[in-house]
Amino acid sequence: MNTSSGRPMAMGVTVNNVSPQELYQALEGATSQDPQVLHQSDKRLKSMLGLFGAFDALQNIAAERSVPLPVRQQAIIQFKNEALKSWKSRKLQNDEHRGRIRGRCLSFLDEEDQTANHLLTIADCNALIVAKLARQDYPLAWSDLVPALMNTIDTNLQLRYSTPSEDPRPTLLLQRSLQLLNGVLREFAAHKMLTGVKTMTQLVESLHSVLYGYYATMAATFANVDVNAMNSSRVYFDVSLAHQVFKCISRIGIWLWQRGEKMGLQDKELMMSSLQFIQLFQDSTVQVKALLQLRHTLLTTNRVETPQSRAFIEVLTKHIRHIGKFFRRLSQLSHVRFVELPGCSELVMFYWNHVAQALTSPSETVQDSPFVLYPVRILVQGMVLFNENLAQWVPVKRDGMPNKNALSSAFVEEAVKIIVTRLLPLNVQDLQAWMADPEEWVNAEDKENDQWEYELRACSERVLIHMSNQFPDYVIPLLRTMFNELAGQAAPDFQTLLQKEALYCAIGRCAGRLHETLPFEQWASQTLVTEAQSTDSNYPIIKRRIAWLIGKWSQIVLNPNMPVAWQIIMHLLSDRGPGTDTVVRLTAAMALRECVDTIDFNIDAFQQWLSMAVTELVKLMGEADTLENKRRVDSTLNALIEQAGERISPLVDTITQPLPGIWNDAGDDFLLKASLLVTITNLVNATKGESSRLTPIVVPLVQEALQQAIHLDEDGLDLWKAALRNLPGTAAVQPFLDLFPEAVRLLGTNLDLLSQVVDIIDSYFLLAGPQILQVCAVPLFQAFYEAFQNVSITSNRKDMVICINNIVATNPSSLWGEALHVSGLFAYLMTALLDSEVVTFVLTEHIYVFARIVMADRAMFAQLMTHTAPALKMAETKLYELLMDAWWTKFDSMSEGKHRKLCAMGVATLVSTGRPEVLERLPTEIFNIWMDVFGEIKEANVAPDDEYGRSAESPLRRHWELEDAPYAYFKDSQNTPEYDRRKMLYDNDPVRTIKLSTYVGERLREAEAIYGSSVFRGQFLSKADPTVLQQIERELTL
């Protein structure tokens, strides 16, 4: 490597130039089959890419045809991955390098790298590079890019279409040039900045008509292809090149369509006339019809057997699908404008008729393959286009006016019949997949519902739903008629059974419209119960649909507490005799979840089925072969546990016994493990105070979940928090104490889950604060300090201060005083308060902490102040003065009566220390604080037999607050034993049990005792306003 020579970039700055020879050697080593050489070369290559001129040298190596192909491929890939990120860097290259790179890009146009074992060839990488560089440099620094591409395209088009020559070079150059042009258009079409939009406008103006002419010329060459031409490579490339040209045209058309929404009327009209957008759309509709007819003719009159003919049919199908994508994108961007295009209605109806024609053909002609007569993807395109624009053909417009373009009732009814009788029934492929792998079939069906834009049956279901919503007056009576004709009748043969299953599917999908006209409960009692209990070997098809149907109706309209529905679901879930299978049981489990997970679900009505449901779900989870289906069943179990609440207690052992085995079988399936953690969490929340019996399974699960830091830690923390909150008392916390160090670690390191960790620490201290502080007070406060240093979310900061407040308020000062100093936490809290860099409502929480500390042990507070002053490099007197300044300034930001009283009690305790820095403020700021609080809150000591009937345990009557604590205080612990612990802490708070005037009077007398009465009054009280002093004395005597 040439490291001795350098090039001055600026005065006093030199950089090292890359050595092309050494870069080549590194690339060559990076293609080695020797792992050691590969590793060393990769490391060396990464370091060399930071040298000046490396990118220019990389591309030069990639462009050199005499270099071995693997080295060239490695060079172009490294360029693509690294150069584009640092293209503007002056440290790595200069304008001369960039110019050479841009000029060299077009030398790859005749690149012949077609290696099949690479995801991206050299030409593919170059296409990506050119597109990205064009986005940054065109047209200012690379003005000749598009003209050069268009010149290459024009020249080679003339060579190819003016002579019958079979020379492959013009074809290759056309392919590469069009690929690059499409990439450039893609980049600028996505550009949102004004400069990019302006460049795209110029590209459209210069390219639209030219490309449109190219496509017209090319399309004419394959308009009438026969079997002989189909086996010609020339015709194949004619279609392929036309396809690439149309990709450019369609990208321009879509950009114009999007811009048309934003332009004014005059500009829109100009766009339509000058750029011939309407002509593009109309010609595209004509072209797709012609190509579909051509394809149909070729496949019905000829056998596609040779590789060349198959390649031709494949590229032709791909081109037809791309034209369909163009229509779909226009529709997606604006349904209203799309249907207004001339010929749009005819186009959509053509697609629908194409679907209808396909359904009358043999089933083997309709498959997801480009070589069959009716490829599924083209049919789905047509159905999606039909579905998206149905709202434009309703009988009455939104403004109440009749729609002249409305679909007739005959057409709608015929379309519904086609859907129900031909599209919805399960086909041979569906049934074969069911029999071959039932569980995988369930997985595929579940995913199909999310991928309805790509699957024929799932798409037809969505079309039916949309039609029932847009044309209810036509669709609902028809479905009701079909129901009356078929639903109540026995199925004499398998085909009738399939039709019945399809009808049930239609009823489930249209439940929102049918529920008012269809007597579901009567139908279920008279027909569905009988069908669900049939032992016919063909009936799993209908049983699975019955379970699905009940689940769908319960989500929309059905009362989920209907006994016959539970009877059917539970039978389908538990039946393992003839006439059923795994698909039925899994579907019943999913339907049960849909029934249970509703607002109207009544657990009392389900009580008689609860034990059976839990037992069967646990059994089914064990029987399921795939982890995905185990998770589905477990999600039903979770919903049931959550709804059952304490009623689940007798079934805890049934649920938990197999869970460890399922957990181990899950391996790295973290979705299933997360679901199992939710199961245990729900059990803990349901059993509440009795949940301690789950401790042997909870503790190891929490430990293992925390080891899987990214995948399971959040669910593990939820379980941990739930377990602590539901522990009955201190004795039950012992097995959890070994987990506390992990909470300390997470507190200091895991900011993402900080809120949950703080809640867990809070729960620990409500259970066993002294035990914890005796062992790890310093590490805990150090973790708090580290978290404060890094946290950026204000709410998390406030939660931590509140947690520290609770620790100080509920534990002896001997356990936390020294640790606050040694850890640096006290100094941090003081510094944050004095610097005021944190929002005010958090800093007020700091005042509450200091008030709690001084109220708990004023001598300890004095020691903390004494030792903190040197750490903050200030005199102790100055520290007290600054603290009193902050105490006074933050007082006005306190809104709750409890907090203002705490502030007043805390400052009263500071007064009792006799510190002159505090007492000097007694006549002014401190008296003002007390006067404000005395005026805001009214309190009275109440005798046990007073008119309020209060007991001796709570002798203070507070007129300034409600009896219950604020909702946020309990932190969602309602209905858990922790709620009682928090309530007890709240009720025994000195702020709520001690009268303020009594407390202030006692602290004043303590301060007076330090100085003596005469000195105290003369030095401090005499400076007060007489009226204020008189009011204070009056309050203290009440």
Side-chain angles (χ1 to χ4, degrees):
M1 185 183 302
N2 183 12
T3 59
S4 60
S5 63
R7 185 191 68 86
M9 288 189 64
M11 187 172 295
V13 179
T14 59
V15 294
N16 294 323
N17 292 297
V18 71
S19 167
Q21 294 79 11
E22 293 194 21
L23 181 61
Y24 179 85
Q25 292 171 4
L27 288 168
E28 193 174 35
T31 64
S32 172
Q33 300 299 314
D34 186 336
Q36 185 175 358
V37 174
L38 180 63
H39 176 72
Q40 292 174 349
S41 299
D42 182 61
K43 187 176 180 180
R44 185 182 175 198
L45 184 60
K46 287 180 180 178
S47 65
M48 295 185 70
L49 291 179
L51 298 178
F52 190 73
F55 299 146
D56 182 31
L58 265 181
Q59 195 202 36
N60 189 42
I61 293 172
E64 182 56 56
R65 305 295 173 90
S66 62
V67 172
L69 183 59
V71 177
R72 296 179 62 215
Q73 291 170 338
Q74 183 67 225
I76 196 74
I77 290 172
Q78 292 294 335
F79 184 93
K80 175 182 69 70
N81 293 343
E82 299 300 329
L84 299 180
K85 296 185 293 187
S86 307
W87 178 246
K88 296 293 186 180
S89 173
R90 291 183 295 174
K91 178 182 176 182
L92 299 177
Q93 57 190 352
N94 57 25
D95 289 340
E96 184 180 349
H97 289 136
R98 296 186 188 93
R100 285 202 298 265
I101 290 171
R102 288 191 293 263
R104 205 179 287 128
C105 283
L106 297 185
S107 70
F108 291 94
L109 286 178
D110 59 349
E111 176 60 50
E112 296 181 357
D113 171 22
Q114 302 286 356
T115 48
N117 59 338
H118 283 80
L119 294 177
L120 289 176
T121 64
I122 291 177
D124 292 332
C125 289
N126 185 61
L128 290 171
I129 292 166
V130 169
K132 296 299 181 183
L133 296 186
R135 185 182 179 99
Q136 299 184 63
D137 289 358
Y138 181 82
L140 297 180
W142 202 0
S143 59
D144 62 338
L145 171 62
V146 173
L149 288 176
M150 293 305 296
N151 181 59
T152 302
I153 294 171
D154 191 61
T155 300
N156 287 281
L157 272 176
Q158 293 181 24
L159 286 174
R160 175 176 173 79
Y161 290 101
S162 62
T163 64
S165 172
E166 296 292 336
D167 183 2
R169 179 176 170 78
T171 300
L172 182 63
L173 290 171
L174 281 171
Q175 288 177 315
R176 299 283 190 253
S177 301
L178 289 169
Q179 184 183 19
L180 264 59
L181 181 63
N182 185 47
V184 172
L185 290 172
R186 180 179 62 247
E187 288 295 323
F188 283 103
H191 216 305
K192 303 301 180 185
M193 301 300 291
L194 185 59
T195 54
V197 174
K198 183 179 179 181
T199 301
M200 185 62 183
T201 302
Q202 295 170 351
L203 288 173
V204 169
E205 291 175 352
S206 62
L207 297 179
H208 181 271
S209 298
V210 176
L211 292 175
Y212 195 79
Y214 288 165
Y215 182 76
T217 301
M218 294 177 175
T221 62
F222 56 86
N224 297 294
V225 177
D226 57 21
V227 65
N228 295 323
M230 191 167 60
N231 286 291
S232 166
S233 62
R234 182 178 181 86
V235 176
Y236 164 80
F237 283 115
D238 286 341
V239 179
S240 179
L241 292 171
H243 174 66
Q244 288 185 282
V245 172
F246 188 83
K247 288 174 69 174
C248 298
I249 296 173
S250 63
R251 199 172 297 281
I252 290 174
I254 291 169
W255 185 83
L256 288 171
W257 184 251
Q258 289 176 295
R259 295 288 296 164
E261 191 72 37
K262 303 173 184 178
M263 294 178 182
L265 181 61
Q266 183 177 356
D267 291 329
K268 189 185 300 185
E269 291 175 346
L270 178 62
M271 175 194 70
M272 293 297 185
S273 59
S274 63
L275 300 177
Q276 304 160 332
F277 180 83
I278 292 180
Q279 180 185 351
L280 168 63
F281 175 79
Q282 290 179 316
D283 289 350
S284 297
T285 61
V286 172
Q287 180 72 345
V288 77
K289 295 175 185 178
L291 293 180
L292 278 171
Q293 181 59 47
L294 171 65
R295 186 180 181 280
H296 185 275
T297 302
L298 290 172
L299 288 174
T300 53
T301 59
N302 303 282
R303 296 179 62 85
V304 181
E305 296 177 336
T306 65
Q308 188 61 59
S309 63
R310 290 177 66 84
F312 171 81
I313 291 296
E314 186 173 15
V315 73
L316 179 62
T317 305
K318 183 178 180 180
H319 184 46
I320 293 171
R321 284 182 54 216
H322 189 82
I323 300 175
K325 288 180 181 179
F326 171 60
F327 297 142
R328 171 80 199 287
R329 186 59 182 153
L330 297 180
S331 174
Q332 283 180 314
L333 292 171
S334 177
H335 300 314
V336 176
R337 293 170 60 219
F338 181 70
V339 297
E340 293 176 353
L341 289 172
C344 175
S345 298
E346 292 79 1
L347 171 69
V348 176
M349 289 306 146
F350 167 80
Y351 267 115
W352 177 256
N353 292 331
H354 185 69
V355 173
Q357 183 181 3
L359 298 176
T360 61
S361 302
S363 59
E364 62 270 14
T365 63
V366 181
Q367 295 181 26
D368 187 14
S369 167
F371 306 112
V372 297
L373 196 57
Y374 298 102
V376 165
R377 300 189 186 191
I378 293 178
L379 299 180
V380 171
Q381 270 188 344
M383 293 186 66
V384 170
L385 203 60
F386 178 73
N387 182 59
E388 286 181 341
N389 295 282
L390 274 174
Q392 311 306 318
W393 297 310
V394 294
V396 180
K397 296 181 179 180
R398 290 183 178 181
D399 58 5
M401 298 296 293
N403 186 357
K404 63 180 181 180
N405 297 320
L407 297 178
S408 66
S409 61
F411 177 86
V412 173
E413 290 175 359
E414 182 61 28
V416 171
K417 289 178 181 178
I418 289 174
I419 292 172
V420 176
T421 61
R422 299 180 188 175
L423 287 169
L424 293 187
L426 298 174
N427 56 37
V428 175
Q429 291 81 7
D430 294 324
L431 297 174
Q432 288 175 345
W434 182 333
M435 297 301 296
D437 192 341
E439 291 197 29
E440 184 55 37
W441 191 84
V442 173
N443 293 337
E445 282 291 294
D446 192 44
K447 293 175 183 177
E448 188 177 86
N449 291 328
D450 299 326
Q451 299 177 348
W452 64 272
E453 295 184 0
Y454 310 100
E455 301 290 341
L456 192 58
R457 182 154 52 87
C459 183
S460 64
E461 292 178 12
R462 296 313 188 281
V463 174
L464 179 62
I465 294 171
H466 203 182
M467 293 187 74
S468 70
N469 290 330
Q470 298 295 339
F471 305 93
D473 294 339
Y474 305 153
V475 176
I476 302 308
L478 175 62
L479 289 179
R480 181 59 193 271
T481 300
M482 298 175 73
F483 170 81
N484 293 335
E485 292 175 352
L486 188 60
Q489 308 297 322
D493 52 50
F494 189 67
Q495 287 302 317
T496 306
L497 193 67
L498 291 176
Q499 285 296 328
K500 179 177 281 194
E501 188 272 344
L503 177 62
Y504 287 7
C505 175
I507 292 171
R509 289 300 183 191
C510 301
R513 293 286 181 176
L514 279 170
H515 71 278
E516 295 180 354
T517 63
L518 195 149
F520 188 88
E521 187 168 1
Q522 177 184 345
W523 175 39
S525 302
Q526 296 178 358
T527 303
L528 298 185
V529 169
T530 303
E531 292 178 338
Q533 295 176 350
S534 173
T535 59
D536 191 317
S537 60
N538 291 326
Y539 262 62
I541 294 171
I542 202 70
K543 289 181 179 181
R544 170 249 174 193
R545 185 58 76 182
I546 290 172
W548 174 91
L549 176 62
I550 293 175
K552 296 303 175 189
W553 270 62
S554 67
Q555 287 284 307
I556 300 174
V557 292
L558 176 64
N559 176 7
N561 307 304
M562 188 166 58
V564 67
W566 295 130
Q567 178 185 349
I568 294 172
I569 289 291
M570 294 313 302
H571 174 77
L572 295 176
L573 180 63
S574 60
D575 184 22
R576 285 169 173 77
T580 189
D581 66 3
T582 301
V583 172
V584 174
R585 290 188 288 274
L586 288 172
T587 307
M590 291 186 285
L592 178 60
R593 180 183 69 247
E594 292 181 298
C595 294
V596 168
D597 194 17
T598 57
I599 297 176
D600 297 327
F601 176 74
N602 184 354
I603 187 61
D604 293 327
F606 188 74
Q607 180 68 46
Q608 62 173 314
W609 306 103
L610 180 59
S611 176
M612 180 180 178
V614 169
T615 302
E616 293 300 331
L617 288 172
V618 171
K619 184 187 298 185
L620 183 58
M621 189 158 48
E623 293 173 348
D625 293 328
T626 64
L627 298 178
E628 192 169 359
N629 280 316
K630 289 180 186 290
R631 178 165 51 86
R632 285 194 180 92
V633 178
D634 190 49
S635 65
T636 300
L637 184 61
N638 290 338
L640 192 56
I641 295 170
E642 190 172 357
Q643 292 281 23
E646 295 182 7
R647 293 177 177 84
I648 208 71
S649 293
L651 301 167
V652 168
D653 292 339
T654 302
I655 297 171
T656 57
Q657 185 176 0
L659 291 190
I662 298 174
W663 177 276
N664 292 331
D665 293 341
D668 292 334
D669 189 326
F670 298 112
L671 291 176
L672 175 56
K673 285 189 170 181
S675 182
L676 294 174
L677 289 172
V678 172
T679 302
I680 301 299
T681 303
N682 287 348
L683 283 176
V684 168
N685 288 328
T687 54
K688 297 182 172 46
E690 298 179 6
S691 64
S692 55
R693 60 176 166 155
L694 292 167
T695 298
I697 193 173
V698 169
V699 173
L701 282 179
V702 171
Q703 290 173 328
E704 187 165 346
L706 295 180
Q707 292 173 3
Q708 304 292 341
I710 298 177
H711 306 285
L712 299 175
D713 50 3
E714 188 169 0
D715 295 295
L717 289 178
D718 287 339
L719 173 57
W720 194 357
K721 181 166 67 174
L724 291 173
R725 286 185 169 181
N726 286 282
L727 289 178
T730 302
V733 79
Q734 295 304 314
F736 288 89
L737 292 180
D738 291 339
L739 288 174
F740 189 77
E742 190 66 20
V744 173
R745 182 189 67 82
L746 291 172
L747 175 64
T749 59
N750 196 326
L751 299 180
D752 294 332
L753 301 174
L754 188 58
S755 178
Q756 289 174 280
V757 175
V758 171
D759 287 346
I760 288 170
I761 292 174
D762 224 7
S763 296
Y764 267 108
F765 276 90
L766 290 170
L767 286 160
Q771 289 177 262
I772 294 171
L773 289 175
Q774 287 171 3
V775 177
C776 57
V778 173
L780 172 63
F781 290 150
Q782 286 175 337
F784 271 115
Y785 178 67
E786 292 172 6
F788 278 123
Q789 295 287 86
N790 298 311
V791 69
S792 58
I793 301 177
T794 302
S795 60
N796 286 345
R797 186 179 294 274
K798 179 180 178 181
D799 288 342
M800 286 193 290
V801 181
I802 292 174
C803 184
I804 296 169
N805 192 327
N806 292 338
I807 293 173
V808 170
T810 57
N811 294 278
S813 60
S814 60
L815 296 178
W816 48 256
E818 183 180 359
L820 279 175
H821 170 66
V822 173
S823 65
L825 181 59
F826 185 86
Y828 169 80
L829 294 174
M830 184 65 69
T831 303
L833 175 64
L834 301 184
D835 291 347
S836 296
E837 293 181 356
V838 184
V839 293
T840 300
F841 75 85
V842 174
L843 292 179
T844 59
E845 298 291 341
H846 287 231
I847 296 291
Y848 307 152
V849 170
F850 293 137
R852 291 289 184 187
I853 293 175
V854 72
M855 289 171 63
D857 190 337
R858 55 194 171 194
M860 179 66 72
F861 182 82
Q863 290 184 52
L864 287 168
M865 292 290 285
T866 300
H867 288 88
T868 299
L872 300 183
K873 297 180 180 181
M874 66 176 65
E876 187 175 352
T877 298
K878 181 65 173 178
L879 183 59
Y880 270 101
E881 290 176 352
L882 294 175
L883 174 63
M884 295 310 299
D885 288 341
W887 207 295
W888 168 245
T889 56
K890 298 299 181 289
F891 175 72
D892 286 337
S893 300
M894 303 174 190
S895 57
E896 292 186 25
K898 179 184 175 182
H899 290 155
R900 293 172 71 82
K901 181 180 176 182
L902 172 61
C903 179
M905 294 175 75
V907 80
T909 311
L910 284 173
V911 168
S912 72
T913 64
R915 294 285 308 191
E917 302 88 353
V918 177
L919 292 178
E920 286 175 359
R921 300 174 186 250
L922 180 63
T924 54
E925 297 167 4
I926 296 177
F927 272 5
N928 286 337
I929 290 175
W930 288 344
M931 286 301 300
D932 284 351
V933 180
F934 283 143
E936 293 163 359
I937 66 175
K938 299 300 179 182
E939 299 176 322
N941 288 321
V942 182
D945 56 350
D946 78 329
E947 59 178 311
Y948 299 106
R950 298 184 65 83
S951 63
E953 287 78 12
S954 53
L956 185 64
R957 177 67 176 179
R958 299 169 300 279
H959 299 279
W960 48 272
E961 71 164 2
L962 299 174
E963 288 300 314
D964 294 330
Y967 180 83
Y969 170 80
F970 293 105
K971 291 192 172 184
D972 297 322
S973 64
Q974 289 80 357
N975 301 316
T976 69
E978 183 173 304
Y979 179 89
D980 298 329
R981 292 191 282 272
R982 289 185 177 274
K983 185 73 165 59
M984 182 180 297
L985 177 63
Y986 183 78
D987 291 340
N988 293 327
D989 188 347
V991 178
R992 303 185 72 250
T993 59
I994 300 176
K995 189 178 180 185
L996 179 61
S997 59
T998 302
Y999 190 88
V1000 170
E1002 291 175 353
R1003 302 293 85 77
L1004 274 174
R1005 286 189 288 275
E1006 291 171 353
E1008 186 177 14
I1010 295 173
Y1011 286 88
S1013 179
S1014 59
V1015 175
F1016 184 73
R1017 288 183 173 275
Q1019 188 172 348
F1020 303 112
L1021 296 185
S1022 62
K1023 298 178 182 179
D1025 184 282
T1027 304
V1028 173
L1029 182 60
Q1030 185 179 8
Q1031 291 176 334
I1032 291 287
E1033 290 175 341
R1034 184 169 61 249
E1035 289 288 345
L1036 298 182
T1037 58
L1038 293 177

